[in-house]
Amino acid sequence: MTERIAEDRRAKLDKLREKNRNPYPIRVTKPVSIGSCLENFEDRQGEEVVVAGRLTQVRDFGKLRFSHLMDRDEQIQIGFERDRLPEFWPDRKLVEANDIVVVRGELGLTKKGEKTIWATEVTLASKTLRHAPEKWHGLQDVEARFRMRYVDLFANPEVRQGFILRSKIISGIREHFDSQGYLEVETPILQPIFGGATARPFKTHHNSLDMPLFLRIAPELYLKRLLVGGLERVYEIGRVFRNEGLSTRHNPEFTMLESYGAYADYRDVMELVEGLFGHLCQTVLKGQSKVEFRGADYDLTPPFDKRRYTELFAEHNGGLDFFDEPAVLARAKELHIETAGRPWEKIANDVFEATVEDNLSGPVFVYDYPLAICPFAKAHPEDARIAERFELFIAGMELANAFSELNDPIDQEGRFERQLEHVDEESSSEMDEDYVNALEFGMPPAGGLGLGIDRLCMLLTGNDSIRDVILFPLLKRDSGRVEKQTEAEKED
RNA sequence: GGGGGCGUAGCUCAGGGGUAGAGCACCGGAUUUUUAAUCCGAUGGUCGGAGGUUCGAUCCCUCCCGCCCUCACCA
């Protein structure tokens, strides 16, 4: 079969049209879910229902045929009998596996006790022109699954369930923040100055304003402006964009939750996060608190372990004091970490990442980070070198990042200025003066949180790769296939 | 960007310097209780792309494209 469209299916489509059967009707009878038909099924035999979905696996017995019908959540057997379907029966071979149909019928059982809808009326709702993937293995080819996610979703029910779960996770997050009095807001994705994180941005341009713009790397600085404005508790779930490499844990666009709550500090945010995980275990995981990820088990029951950054640093580096610059530099060289021309605190943090992070199975809050790598966090009242910041690690993945937000405009301006001394592709060459201006109008003390939704979904759905929890992960264009297709189209 | 692996029918996969293979799907036939139905028959391929070696390449070599894993950057 070299044609783009399966010729046999095209022929069936033509036959349907000849018989005045619309293969793509505008309106069909509204169905109920198959799941609702399965509830209390035994007591409802003989009841008439209308269901709809994709046909699978037709099993033909001459005057009788069986198939399964699949909708979003469930599937059920459909029994087609010649004598009950005078209208449909002559067309039965024109309607085949993979077609979308609406079936009216009676709930009943087969001789072997299989729950079945005995059809009394069958309407083709959409004719399929492509062959479906194999019924048993589904679509396995990873590349094809990503490029044709629409096929992956209907051919692989577990993929569909995974994305349904992702949707429920996001609903669960909204429920939790809403219940805590947080207001969901939206802030600019197109930003004239990028900030709020350390990452290379995507650049774009607005034509009529003739203005360079960046796709946001974080919503942080806009959300905190809203605290100045008095909204007090805000959160945003949205896409952020980072112009960096791809991996099983990184996609150039990913979904982030950020929240900011006035009159709270990072300890309160830890509780907020623990509460969130508790809520998700209750709702999304239906009371479960254990998840399996990459072959290991994780217990998400709060409270989580809490470990001080500098203590972990010493523990995994032979008692080394994080602030002992010459000793840490020596350790960095031992670990073959790039040191030349880089700020020492980044080098020291690289030592932390190289020696500690992979060993954090978690869930664990790592807290009290060195202030120098936390440009938006408040200093610890007892040690000016330390910031009130924590990160949540589970399965070696950084899932969340939070701090007691810096609201001192003069301190903030100074930290921006210090950042400008080391400008690279990952930091703006411009200070966000308006953000400092906002702080000068007064921002209440606040606890802020950033949480990677995709990684959370990986953990809760047990998927190893971020591409398995993003419906359409970024892929290169397959120029070979594209050329092949356009050539084939020209020949038509 | 570095290293490793992969790309064969619509799908899942085997094969391998000499006419390209299976199962499923599809097509024709049989069949009123199947559950990956079964049975009989038929169809279906630029073996990712372009070069090279060879009498002959899907197989060997080179380059290119794409995907996966991994390292680096990062969340």
Side-chain angles (χ1 to χ4, degrees), chain A residues 429-444:
Chain A
S429 57
E430 233 182 304
M431 183 188 305
D432 193 338
E433 286 178 19
D434 180 69
Y435 177 65
V436 176
N437 188 51
L439 293 187
E440 286 169 0
F441 279 94
M443 183 177 98

Side-chain angles (χ1 to χ4, degrees), chain A residues 395-416:
Chain A
M397 283 195 298
E398 185 191 328
L399 255 87
N401 182 17
F403 22 90
S404 302
E405 299 293 335
L406 181 62
N407 62 345
D408 174 342
I410 296 169
D411 189 350
Q412 184 69 72
E413 188 168 26
R415 295 208 207 171
F416 273 144

Side-chain angles (χ1 to χ4, degrees), chain A residues 82-372:
Chain A
R82 184 190 60 183
D83 300 337
R84 300 185 75 168
L85 289 163
E87 282 269 313
F88 172 71
W89 198 254
D91 296 340
R92 69 192 184 285
K93 290 198 168 180
L94 304 178
V95 175
E96 61 202 313
N98 207 27
D99 286 346
I100 296 170
V101 297
V102 178
V103 175
R104 182 186 299 276
E106 283 173 18
L107 305 184
L109 297 173
T110 62
K111 285 176 189 168
K112 292 209 174 150
E114 171 89 6
K115 292 170 185 170
T116 300
I117 294 174
W118 294 101
T120 53
E121 188 184 333
V122 180
T123 311
L124 181 62
S126 185
K127 182 68 192 162
T128 303
L129 295 181
R130 295 269 210 148
H131 290 296
E134 198 204 351
K135 59 194 170 189
W136 189 240
H137 296 93
L139 186 66
Q140 295 296 317
D141 182 83
V142 175
E143 183 177 355
R145 288 184 42 225
F146 295 159
R147 289 195 191 280
M148 297 191 286
R149 184 70 92 184
Y150 38 88
V151 178
D152 189 28
L153 282 165
F154 75 74
N156 298 317
E158 70 286 359
V159 171
R160 196 163 63 245
Q161 288 309 316
F163 283 105
I164 290 170
L165 196 62
R166 178 181 170 125
S167 179
K168 287 180 178 165
I169 289 165
I170 292 173
S171 298
I173 292 169
R174 287 206 164 92
E175 282 162 17
H176 190 251
F177 278 87
D178 291 347
S179 76
Q180 303 292 309
Y182 281 76
L183 192 71
E184 184 171 8
V185 296
E186 292 172 281
T187 62
I189 289 171
L190 295 173
Q191 302 180 347
I193 302 172
F194 67 97
T198 310
R200 290 163 65 183
F202 286 91
K203 293 172 191 155
T204 185
H205 183 263
H206 189 275
N207 287 345
S208 61
L209 295 178
D210 190 22
M211 181 169 74
L213 287 167
F214 301 98
L215 301 188
R216 68 176 173 195
I217 58 172
E220 171 151 354
L221 300 183
Y222 283 93
L223 289 170
K224 284 191 281 193
R225 283 170 168 91
L226 300 178
L227 295 188
V228 173
L231 294 184
E232 292 189 346
R233 291 186 178 194
V234 294
Y235 73 100
E236 178 166 8
I237 295 171
R239 207 69 60 82
V240 298
F241 306 85
R242 299 189 182 177
N243 206 338
E244 280 154 3
L246 288 71
S247 79
T248 49
R249 294 168 196 199
H250 300 86
N251 194 60
E253 53 178 307
F254 63 102
T255 303
M256 182 118 111
L257 161 81
E258 283 200 15
S259 77
Y260 296 86
Y263 314 113
D265 64 16
Y266 74 149
R267 295 272 167 188
D268 300 308
V269 180
M270 283 187 198
E271 280 180 28
L272 181 70
V273 171
E274 286 174 340
L276 174 65
F277 273 83
H279 179 70
L280 293 177
C281 289
Q282 278 303 311
T283 55
V284 177
L285 299 183
K286 302 189 164 88
Q288 273 282 320
S289 60
K290 293 202 170 72
V291 293
E292 196 190 323
F293 184 75
R294 296 196 176 200
D297 291 321
Y298 298 91
D299 188 344
L300 304 178
T301 310
F304 299 157
D305 282 346
K306 297 172 179 68
R307 301 295 311 276
R308 200 181 297 270
Y309 181 98
T310 47
E311 283 174 13
L312 284 168
F313 187 89
E315 205 172 285
H316 290 87
N317 289 285
L320 189 59
D321 176 6
F322 181 87
F323 295 104
D324 183 347
E325 288 197 28
V328 170
L329 280 177
R331 178 73 174 132
K333 280 176 186 147
E334 246 174 67
L335 295 165
H336 307 292
I337 289 165
E338 179 68 46
T339 55
R342 301 181 63 220
W344 107 270
E345 56 269 16
K346 284 200 177 178
I347 297 165
N349 189 51
D350 283 353
V351 172
F352 179 88
E353 287 180 4
T355 54
V356 182
E357 282 195 4
D358 291 346
N359 300 310
L360 294 172
S361 76
V364 56
F365 288 121
V366 177
Y367 69 100
D368 286 358
Y369 277 64
L371 185 86

